């Protein structure tokens, strides 16, 4: 009995070490699983060098900086102990006990703080791996910062690394001094007695040397911070100012000199301990820092700069403007003076006839519901909230296309059981695409690709989508040879042709047939079913990180992906195209931009999702990336090969980025100017189109991005401003305008462009129109041009044009049936496009209607097109008719549209629909026969006949809709 009782405390005493050991082992296993599975993921994707370089450089940084801190702290403690071991601790029983502890556990006393601070330093250093890699492989910019005469690469690559090294050295010295002081205090060696024994002198000498070295490091920090003034932010600009140059920079030199002098006094104190002079010197240094670092610059700013600010700051404003324009790639922006016509005359658009077919009528934000309701097929399929714009050559003509991928959204699955979401509903199917400038008589888009299986003009060879914007969860794919497929593939069109299943055979994904690998992934994913499920077999692969932006960011952590990845059919495969940026926050004298705020607008309310808090002052679209929608292959192509940041990272990760010459001709046709970059450049040019320092200072000609005119006010937050107007991809024909007093002819043909508009500050009229050539295959790609409106006349801005359209009597009359309280359909205003045409600016807005009975799957259909030029407004069912209304019955050019032969939506009670029942019945009979023939062809494996009969049946359905008067 007594033996059991005496063993109980021992068991209790062993519990804590056991818990600690288990916790450490558990954490170690989780960390190992994370690292090992990352290695497998990078290998499977073909980027092993990215993983290995990051890992081993981080491990090396952790080890070197951690061990140096560990050695420094332990050495300081050991030296302090040896110096003070024979000191005067005997006079105090408490200090005597401390000395006994050091005598008995000296190694532990030195090791514990050394390990603690070593771990902290190692983790901090490992987080700066990117800074080290960039510095060690840095590439010159070939641009000299004017104040300090150094290449910009010093500020972008060198300054952050040197600043970190000095900060680390200062921390090491202060921690070492603190550890030594603690030991000396514990052993009673910190005394100011005049009759200092040798141990006491040694203690004072050690502390004096360490503090003197810390002051040297502080002085170096002050000298380094002089270079940091080119990043300083103040009320006027980001970068060096007059006060920085003439007061703060000199003050830092004075403080550095004071720190070096004080350090010399501390070194002298090591020989003859007397703390009065060093301490007095520290006090004087602090006072000097306050006077020359705060008071003196304040006096210069208040009494010299502020009364003469335009003159004093002029050279610094000039540097700031030049640096900002260079950092954001807008230094070659062409600004034209444009005397826009506001009167409409017959035949006015004759010279711009080629541009009219490029006017996009289909609003990609509005027709998302149309895509959902007509092409969703099953409730678990979905499309992106805002569809994408791309270009395809159709019948020899380059055509703007609205395109989306049909992806699985697992939240729409009625059964959320593990096997369903992880092994069955693994992928989406096909693309849905429509002409950007055409509609069916029903008001639906005119399809270029639709249905399952995909039919139309755009049909990829591999329609399955395992990687996409909605694929946010991981799945397990793959089956043993001969096993029945279990991945849901297509719904099927009838009982005879039922649901089809597929087995993934792509190269992407990580093989988890090995039980050990499966265990590691079960730990990483926190899901024991990976070990228990029979559906995880020897041929299984796990697919994760499946969104395009995720994959690009993972394989290239030095890149910032654009928020809008867009799908394209390239060489027969569906690929996601992702624009990626090299950015920096250390470009000297450049204006900083908050990326999330700059890219937020009506279509992207929160801005860049991956980089909401990123602040930058340099940005380049240096890389074009593709992600294969089937196997997830990521390919990075160097786009801006002259970018020093790109060149630096290509040296860091050799082989990760393919040369620009590797881009295929088909891929090049789908590349476009990136949205995020254009939005940031739009923010910059709102002020930095002004290159004269005086004009920039007075801000008389500053512009702003207007609010989106069609966005509704937030009822919950009535004081919240409307989101900014988005940018638009359009094919436009640049007009004749004046530059530097010389008339410059317009473009000979329309060019695929990204466009935006500005209004003056606190005004709503149009200030300017901005466009960039967005066609990557064009030799003028990236050419930014701005039409500046004349000050002698006012042109309506988007908000004014939208109000004028809504209040126009013709528009109100046409829309009156839809605005009645008992109307079953309501009008919806689409995007308001601004297009330079006819010597002025043309506003075009599609108007959709949508039934209010949401339970019946109502969706918007294009009903009318509104056009406004000057003070004239036209509304009709086609763009051609609306243009002819505005230009006195003859616009002078054809839009290439087919006249509308039916009405998409007729509100109840309007009396505008007529029904030809005989024609309806005949068309429905033809549709039934067509679908039956299509199913028979599909059973026989004749896909060509299947497509032909399906098209005939759909045409018959459309005839039935037209005949029904709907």
């Amino acid at each position: 009995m007594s033996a059991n009782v005496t063993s109980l405390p021992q068991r209790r005493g062993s519990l804590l070490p056991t818990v600690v050991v288990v916790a450490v082992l558990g954490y170690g296993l989780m960390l190992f699983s994370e690292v090992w599975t990352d290695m497998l993921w990078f290998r499977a994707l073909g980027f092993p060098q990215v993983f290995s370089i990051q890992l081993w450089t981080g491990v090396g940084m952790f080890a070197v900086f951690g061990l140096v801190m560990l050695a420094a702290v332990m050495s300081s403690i050991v030296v302090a102990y040896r110096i003070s071991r024979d000191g005067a601790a005997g006079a105090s029983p408490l200090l005597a006990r401390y000395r006994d502890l050091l005598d008995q556990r000296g190694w532990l006393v030195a090791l514990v703080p050394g390990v603690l601070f070593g771990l902290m330093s190692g983790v901090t250093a490992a987080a700066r791996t990117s800074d080290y890699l960039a510095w060690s492989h840095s590439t010159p910019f070939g641009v000299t910062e004017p104040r300090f005469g150094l290449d910009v690469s010093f500020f972008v690559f060198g300054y952050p690394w040197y600043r970190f090294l000095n900060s680390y050295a200062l921390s090491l010295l202060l921690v070492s001094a603190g550890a030594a002081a603690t030991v000396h205090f514990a052993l009673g060696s910190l005394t100011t007695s005049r009759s200092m024994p040798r141990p006491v002198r040694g203690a004072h000498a050690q502390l004096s040397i360490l503090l003197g070295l810390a002051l040297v490091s502080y002085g170096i920090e002050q000298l380094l911070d002089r270079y940091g003034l080119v990043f300083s932010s103040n009320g006027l600009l980001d970068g060096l100012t007059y006060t920085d140059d003439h007061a703060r920079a000199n003050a830092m030199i004075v403080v550095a000199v004071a720190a070096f002098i004080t350090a010399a006094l501390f070194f002298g104190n090591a020989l003859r301990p007397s703390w009065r002079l060093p301490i007095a010197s520290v006090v004087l240094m602090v006072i000097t820092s306050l006077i020359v670092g705060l008071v003196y610059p304040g006096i210069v700013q208040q009494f010299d700069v502020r009364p003469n600010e335009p003159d004093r700051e002029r050279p610094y404003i000039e540097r700031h403007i030049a640096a900002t324009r260079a950092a954001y790639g807008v230094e070659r922006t062409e600004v034209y003076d444009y005397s826009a016509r506001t009167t409409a005359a017959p035949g006015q658009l004759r010279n711009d006839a080629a541009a009219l077919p490029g006017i996009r009528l289909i609003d990609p934000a509005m027709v998302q519901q149309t895509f959902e309701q007509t092409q969703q097929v099953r409730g678990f399929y979905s499309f992106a909230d805002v569809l994408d714009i791309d270009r395809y050559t159709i019948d020899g003509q380059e055509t703007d296309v609205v395109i989306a991928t049909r992806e699985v959204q697992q939240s729409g699955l009625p059964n959320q059981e593990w096997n369903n979401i992880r092994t069955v509903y693994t992928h989406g199917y096909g693309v849905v695409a429509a002409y950007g400038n055409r509609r069916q008589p029903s008001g639906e888009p005119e399809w270029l690709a639709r249905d399952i299986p995909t039919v139309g003009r755009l049909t990829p060879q591999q329609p399955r989508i395992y990687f996409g914007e909605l694929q946010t969860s991981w799945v397990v794919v793959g089956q043993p040879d001969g096993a029945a497929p279990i991945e849901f593939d297509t719904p099927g069109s009838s009982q005879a042709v039922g649901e089809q299943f597929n087995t993934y055979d792509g190269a992407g994904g990580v093989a988890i047939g090995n039980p050990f690998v499966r265990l590691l992934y079960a730990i990483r994913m926190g899901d024991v079913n990976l070990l228990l499920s029979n559906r995880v077999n020897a041929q299984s692969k796990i697919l994760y990180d499946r969104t395009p932006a995720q994959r690009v960011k993972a394989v290239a952590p030095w890149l910032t992906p654009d928020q809008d990845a867009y799908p394209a059919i390239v060489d027969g495969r569906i690929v996601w195209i992702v624009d990626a940026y090299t950015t920096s926050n250390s470009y000297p004298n450049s204006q900083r931009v908050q990326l999330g705020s700059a890219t937020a607008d009506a279509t992207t309310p929160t801005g860049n999702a991956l980089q909401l808090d990123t602040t930058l002052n340099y940005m380049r679209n240096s890389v074009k990336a593709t992600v294969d929608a089937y196997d997830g292959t990521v390919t990075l192509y160097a786009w801006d090969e002259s970018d020093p940041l790109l060149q630096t990272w290509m040296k860091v990760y050799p082989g990760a980025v393919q040369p620009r010459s590797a881009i295929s001709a088909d891929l090049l046709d789908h590349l476009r100017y990136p949205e995020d970059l254009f939005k940031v450049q739009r923010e910059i040019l709102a002020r930095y189109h002004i290159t004269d320092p005086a004009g920039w200072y007075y801000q008389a000609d500053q512009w702003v991005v207007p609010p989106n005119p069609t966005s509704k006010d937030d009822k919950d937050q009535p004081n919240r401003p409307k989101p900014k107007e988005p940018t638009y991809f359009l094919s436009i024909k640049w007009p004749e305008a004046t530059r530097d007093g010389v008339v410059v002819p317009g473009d000979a043909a329309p060019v695929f462009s990204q466009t935006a508009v500005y209004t003056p500050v606190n005004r709503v009229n149009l200030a300017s129109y901005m466009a960039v050539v967005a066609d990557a295959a064009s030799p003028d790609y990236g050419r930014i041009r701005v039409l500046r409106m004349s000050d002698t006349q006012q042109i309506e801005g988007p908000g004014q044009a939208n109000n004028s359209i809504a209040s126009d009597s013709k528009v109100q009359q046409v829309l009156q049936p839809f605005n009645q309280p008992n109307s079953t359909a309501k009008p919806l205003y689409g995007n308001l496009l601004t297009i330079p045409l006819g010597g002025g600016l043309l506003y075009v807005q599609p108007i959709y209607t949508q039934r209010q009975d949401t339970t019946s799957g109502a969706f918007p259909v294009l009903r009318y097109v509104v056009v406004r030029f000057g003070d004239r407004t036209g509304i009709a069912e086609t763009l051609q008719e609306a243009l002819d209304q505005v230009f006195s019955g003859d616009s002078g050019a054809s839009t290439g549209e087919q006249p509308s032969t039916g009405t998409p939506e007729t509100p109840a009670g309007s009396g505008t629909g007529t029904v030809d029942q005989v024609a309806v019945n005949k068309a429905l009979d033809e549709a039934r026969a067509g679908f039956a023939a299509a199913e028979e062809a599909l059973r026989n494996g004749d896909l060509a006949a299947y497509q032909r009969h399906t098209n005939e049946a759909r045409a018959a359905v459309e005839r039935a809709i037209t005949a029904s008067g709907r």
Side-chain angles (χ1 to χ4, degrees):
M1 180 72 179
S2 59
N4 293 335
V5 172
T6 56
S7 65
L8 188 59
Q10 295 178 0
R11 292 177 182 175
R12 290 178 177 174
S14 64
L15 179 61
L16 181 60
T18 301
V19 170
V20 171
V21 170
V22 170
V24 170
L25 290 176
Y27 177 78
L29 183 59
M30 291 177 62
L31 182 62
F32 175 77
S33 68
E34 189 84 14
V35 173
W36 193 265
T37 53
D38 275 348
M39 179 194 69
L40 296 176
W41 187 88
F42 276 94
R43 283 183 177 177
L45 208 53
F47 289 86
Q49 73 276 39
V50 175
F51 172 80
S52 60
I53 290 171
Q54 279 187 299
L55 174 65
W56 295 117
T57 304
V59 169
M61 295 272 288
F62 176 87
V64 170
F65 285 87
L67 288 174
V68 169
M69 178 64 78
L70 169 67
V73 173
M74 289 189 65
S75 298
S76 183
I77 292 174
V78 169
V79 170
Y81 171 68
R82 290 183 177 178
I83 290 174
S84 300
R85 181 170 49 188
D86 299 324
S92 169
L94 178 61
L95 296 182
R97 286 197 293 272
Y98 286 147
R99 184 175 62 182
D100 291 341
L101 176 63
L102 287 169
D103 287 337
Q104 298 171 10
R105 298 283 194 275
W107 63 272
L108 185 61
V109 171
L111 182 63
V112 170
V115 170
L116 177 62
F117 286 106
L119 288 173
M120 293 171 59
S121 297
V123 170
T124 302
R128 306 299 292 266
T129 297
S130 294
D131 288 343
Y132 168 73
L133 289 171
W135 167 77
S136 61
H137 298 81
S138 60
T139 302
F141 276 67
V143 177
T144 301
E145 195 284 319
R147 169 59 175 82
F148 296 102
L150 298 172
D151 188 89
V152 168
S153 62
F154 169 82
F155 300 93
V156 174
F157 303 121
Y159 176 78
W161 178 244
Y162 299 141
R163 192 70 170 73
F164 165 71
L165 287 179
N166 191 74
S167 177
Y168 171 81
L170 181 59
S171 299
L172 181 147
L173 292 166
L174 291 177
V175 169
S176 298
T182 301
V183 173
H184 288 310
F185 175 78
L187 297 180
S189 296
L190 290 184
T191 176
T192 58
S193 172
R194 293 184 179 181
S195 55
M196 292 183 180
R198 181 176 299 175
V200 174
R201 287 179 178 272
H204 286 246
Q206 182 185 15
L207 293 178
S208 296
I209 292 172
L210 290 173
L211 292 174
L213 291 173
L215 284 165
V216 170
S217 179
Y218 176 73
I220 294 174
E221 180 181 277
Q222 292 296 308
L223 295 178
L224 279 174
D225 283 349
R226 292 170 61 244
Y227 301 109
L229 291 173
V230 297
F231 316 131
S232 63
S233 297
N234 53 71
L236 181 64
L237 53 81
D238 289 344
L240 196 71
T241 62
Y242 181 91
T243 302
D244 292 333
D245 193 6
H246 292 82
R248 292 191 178 93
N250 296 331
M252 290 175 178
I253 294 176
V254 172
V255 174
V257 172
F260 296 148
I261 293 173
T262 305
L265 293 176
F266 271 87
F267 294 146
N269 190 61
L271 300 176
R272 299 187 62 182
S274 176
W275 289 93
R276 291 181 181 178
L277 189 57
I279 291 175
S281 180
V282 170
V283 173
L284 289 174
M285 183 185 70
V286 172
I287 295 173
T288 301
S289 300
L290 293 174
I291 293 174
V292 302
L294 295 177
V295 177
Y296 174 59
I299 292 173
V300 171
Q301 180 69 27
Q302 183 67 32
F303 297 102
D304 185 12
V305 175
R306 186 163 295 176
N308 309 285
E309 193 168 50
D311 299 322
R312 287 282 188 260
E313 300 290 9
R314 182 179 180 88
Y316 302 98
I317 293 174
E318 193 170 5
R319 293 176 188 173
H320 173 69
I321 293 173
T324 300
R325 288 169 63 89
Y328 293 100
V330 298
E331 70 272 28
R332 294 186 179 89
T333 298
E334 303 169 18
V335 179
Y336 297 83
D337 294 316
Y338 190 55
S339 297
R341 295 179 60 180
T342 57
T343 58
Q348 192 165 326
L349 301 185
R350 186 166 291 111
N351 293 333
D352 295 322
L356 295 185
I359 296 177
R360 182 170 46 76
L361 302 179
I362 303 299
D363 181 352
M366 186 69 70
V367 299
Q368 194 271 352
Q369 293 182 54
T370 306
F371 274 51
E372 287 272 4
Q373 294 298 330
T374 62
Q375 291 296 316
Q376 188 179 29
V377 182
R378 292 289 178 91
F380 48 79
Y381 286 129
S382 189
F383 301 92
D385 291 338
V386 178
L387 309 184
D388 290 296
I389 302 295
D390 197 3
R391 294 153 298 135
Y392 290 84
T393 300
I394 308 295
D395 297 328
Q397 178 69 39
E398 188 175 90
T399 305
D400 292 353
V401 172
V402 179
I403 189 169
T405 54
R406 186 187 292 106
E407 301 183 47
V408 166
Q409 192 166 48
Q410 293 186 339
S411 60
L413 292 172
N415 184 353
Q416 295 287 319
E417 188 263 337
W418 188 88
N419 285 307
N420 255 10
I421 63 176
R422 300 301 184 195
T423 67
V424 177
Y425 293 96
T426 58
H427 62 280
Y429 195 97
V431 299
V432 178
Y435 286 97
N437 61 345
R438 298 188 192 178
R439 66 169 182 179
Q440 301 181 52
S442 63
E444 295 180 26
E446 184 170 333
W447 305 110
L448 283 163
R450 68 180 192 274
D451 299 344
I452 298 178
T454 306
V455 295
R457 306 294 295 273
L458 303 177
T459 53
Q461 297 171 0
Q462 176 51 268
R464 297 174 182 88
I465 300 168
Y466 283 85
F467 298 85
E469 291 180 302
L470 303 183
Q471 310 308 313
T472 56
S473 61
W474 57 271
V475 295
V476 176
V477 297
Q479 283 284 84
D481 294 339
I486 59 173
E487 299 173 45
F488 182 87
D489 199 38
T490 59
S493 57
S494 67
Q495 293 182 351
V497 183
E499 295 178 343
Q500 301 297 304
F501 294 85
N502 178 66
T503 296
Y504 177 80
D505 61 358
V510 179
I512 55 173
N514 185 304
F516 176 69
V517 174
R518 202 179 309 166
L519 171 64
L520 295 181
Y521 271 105
I523 295 172
R524 174 172 184 148
M525 301 302 180
D527 196 330
V528 71
N529 288 306
L530 282 170
L531 297 175
L532 302 179
S533 175
N534 291 330
R535 292 196 169 189
V536 184
N537 55 76
Q539 301 301 317
S540 291
K541 290 183 175 182
I542 186 168
L543 309 181
Y544 60 102
D545 288 342
R546 296 200 288 157
T547 66
Q550 270 183 316
R551 296 180 79 75
V552 172
K553 183 66 177 175
V555 302
W558 41 277
L559 290 174
T560 300
D562 192 279
Q563 62 192 321
D564 184 29
Y566 59 98
I569 301 174
V570 177
D571 298 322
R573 297 182 68 90
I574 303 172
V575 300
W576 294 94
I577 299 176
V578 184
D579 286 289
Y581 309 103
T582 46
T583 63
S584 175
N585 195 30
S586 302
Y587 195 93
N589 299 311
S590 176
Q591 179 67 36
R592 284 190 170 91
V593 167
Q594 209 283 330
L595 185 57
S597 174
T599 57
D601 57 27
T603 58
T604 315
T606 58
N608 193 304
L610 289 181
Q611 300 291 337
L612 284 177
D613 299 323
T614 297
T615 300
L616 51 87
N617 65 1
Y618 175 91
M619 189 174 188
R620 287 289 186 275
N621 177 211
S622 55
V623 169
K624 302 283 189 180
T626 62
V627 178
D628 190 284
Y630 182 67
D631 61 25
T633 299
V634 177
T635 309
L636 307 177
Y637 298 100
W639 184 249
D640 187 352
E641 294 180 309
S642 64
D643 176 34
L645 267 75
L646 174 61
Q647 295 174 11
T648 295
W649 291 112
M650 288 178 69
K651 288 188 287 186
V652 172
Y653 301 112
V657 181
Q658 303 300 313
R660 181 168 177 163
S661 58
I663 297 176
S664 69
D666 196 9
L667 175 58
L668 186 65
D669 287 340
H670 294 281
L671 299 182
R672 68 188 191 192
Y673 201 79
E675 287 193 71
D676 282 355
L677 177 61
F678 186 68
K679 290 176 182 178
V680 170
Q681 291 173 328
R682 176 178 65 170
E683 290 289 318
I684 290 298
L685 283 174
R687 185 173 186 184
Y688 291 87
H689 68 278
I690 308 171
T691 55
D692 174 62
W696 184 93
Y697 177 82
Y698 292 115
Q699 304 181 38
D701 192 29
Q702 186 172 348
W703 306 329
V704 294
V705 179
N708 187 47
T710 60
S711 294
K712 296 181 179 179
D713 293 323
D714 192 333
K715 295 181 179 180
D716 297 329
Q717 297 180 342
N719 296 325
R720 183 178 181 178
K722 286 185 178 181
K724 291 179 291 190
E725 185 177 52
T727 61
Y728 295 115
F729 285 102
L730 297 168
S731 292
I732 64 169
K733 184 172 178 287
W734 195 256
E736 179 184 280
T738 303
R739 187 181 186 198
D740 299 327
V742 178
V743 176
V744 181
D747 291 341
V751 177
F752 184 68
S753 305
Q754 192 173 178
T755 67
V757 296
Y758 294 105
T759 58
V761 176
N762 299 324
R763 299 287 299 279
V764 292
N765 59 288
L766 193 67
S768 59
Y769 179 86
M770 174 186 177
V772 63
V773 176
D775 183 358
S778 169
D780 289 331
Y781 171 85
R783 182 184 182 189
I784 301 175
R785 294 179 285 187
V786 175
L787 292 175
R788 180 167 49 198
M789 302 299 114
S790 172
D791 293 332
T792 61
Q793 61 176 345
Q794 287 207 1
I795 307 298
E796 283 185 334
Q800 291 174 308
N802 187 70
N803 290 334
S804 297
I805 289 172
S807 60
D808 184 83
S809 59
K810 293 192 298 295
V811 174
Q812 290 181 339
Q813 181 179 359
V814 170
L815 297 182
Q816 183 179 9
F818 299 95
N819 288 322
Q820 297 295 328
N822 62 344
S823 174
T824 58
K826 294 294 183 182
L828 303 172
Y829 290 85
N831 46 206
L832 183 64
L833 306 177
T834 310
I835 307 168
L837 282 173
L841 287 161
L842 183 76
Y843 285 104
V844 178
Q845 185 172 40
I847 295 181
Y848 294 77
T849 58
Q850 181 174 359
R851 293 195 307 272
Q852 297 302 293
D853 183 11
T854 56
T855 60
S856 64
F859 53 85
V861 291
L862 179 59
R863 179 65 187 267
Y864 301 109
V865 179
V866 179
V867 170
R868 184 167 177 82
F869 188 94
D871 60 356
R872 303 191 64 176
T873 302
I875 180 171
E877 292 187 355
T878 66
L879 174 62
Q880 183 72 66
E881 295 167 344
L883 288 172
D884 288 340
Q885 287 180 21
V886 169
F887 293 98
S888 304
D890 178 19
S891 63
S894 172
T895 63
E897 293 175 284
Q898 297 296 324
S900 177
T901 58
T903 55
E905 292 284 345
T906 302
S910 65
T912 60
T914 60
V915 180
D916 184 348
Q917 193 61 50
V918 174
V920 169
N921 293 338
K922 179 181 178 182
L924 291 177
D925 290 340
E926 292 174 353
R928 294 189 191 98
F931 284 124
E935 291 177 6
E936 179 65 23
L938 186 61
R939 283 194 294 270
N940 295 332
D942 189 349
L943 296 181
Y946 169 82
Q947 181 173 338
R948 184 177 67 256
H949 290 308
T950 300
N951 291 341
E952 292 170 353
R954 286 188 171 274
V957 171
E958 291 170 2
R959 290 196 298 274
I961 293 173
T962 301
S964 68
R966 296 193 61 190

